[in-house]
Amino acid sequence: MNAWLLRAPWWQVGIVMGALLAPFSVLLFRLADDRSWTAAVLMGVGVMVVCAPVLGFVTANTIRDSMAAVEEVPEHQRAAVELAARRGPVPADDALREAALHLVEDRLLTIYATRTRALALPAVLALVTGFLALAQSAWWWVGVAVAAALAVLVLVAPRRLERRAELLRRAG
């Protein structure tokens, strides 16, 4: 799946995003808003039709931009470089290890440049869902928990990438 996702066009990524998003939005509309299943399914499909292309486009461009750091790597090795940049054993091949290190360092630069915005989104999401939890339904507390989890990911991701970069540097 990862190798396919690295090369997939935005509309295919959008279909995958829609398939993942639709069930959650149907359940959210059904449980949080006390709508009928029919109304929840129609609203979930509506959310999927509107959000999936946008998410697919943004995700595909983000993947493409992040992989720009390793343009010199042959196409058939990009999935291995991506895997080496995220986890697993450090590659024995110097070229793959260097490309993975370059990819990790590029991602660190991007994360540091966008950190404020990345923390603002979960904060706003937590405020909105917290208000909805108090005003409408207790099910919205799930949204507050998701927003908190997103904030934790934003705070934890740079350190994880720094450890991976150090591991890739030491092996060379």
Side-chain angles (χ1 to χ4, degrees), residues 102-115 158 161:
H102 189 68
L103 184 58
V104 169
E105 289 172 340
D106 186 62
R107 287 184 180 163
L108 275 168
L109 289 174
T110 302
I111 284 175
Y112 287 135
T114 61
R115 196 168 196 177
L161 284 174

Side-chain angles (χ1 to χ4, degrees), residues 74-133:
E75 185 73 28
H76 67 280
Q77 290 183 327
R78 289 189 182 179
V81 169
E82 170 65 26
L83 180 64
R86 285 186 289 123
R87 61 182 164 81
V90 174
D93 183 11
D94 289 339
L96 284 177
R97 187 175 54 252
E98 189 65 33
L101 177 61
H102 189 68
L103 184 58
V104 169
E105 289 172 340
D106 186 62
R107 287 184 180 163
L108 275 168
L109 289 174
T110 302
I111 284 175
Y112 287 135
T114 61
R115 196 168 196 177
T116 303
R117 284 182 295 177
L119 282 172
L121 174 69
V124 169
L125 183 63
L127 288 173
V128 170
T129 54
F131 173 77
L132 290 171

Side-chain angles (χ1 to χ4, degrees), residues 39-76:
V41 168
L42 289 174
M43 290 177 76
V45 169
V47 166
M48 182 184 72
V49 166
V50 172
C51 294
V54 173
L55 286 171
F57 182 76
V58 169
T59 303
N61 282 338
T62 302
I63 291 170
R64 201 169 301 116
D65 289 347
S66 75
M67 292 306 288
V70 290
E71 284 179 340
E72 70 277 357
V73 175
E75 185 73 28
H76 67 280

Side-chain angles (χ1 to χ4, degrees), residues 22-46:
F24 291 110
S25 59
V26 167
L27 287 174
L28 180 70
F29 288 126
R30 171 67 177 124
L31 298 174
D33 290 340
D34 261 348
R35 291 181 176 20
S36 69
W37 280 106
T38 305
V41 168
L42 289 174
M43 290 177 76
V45 169

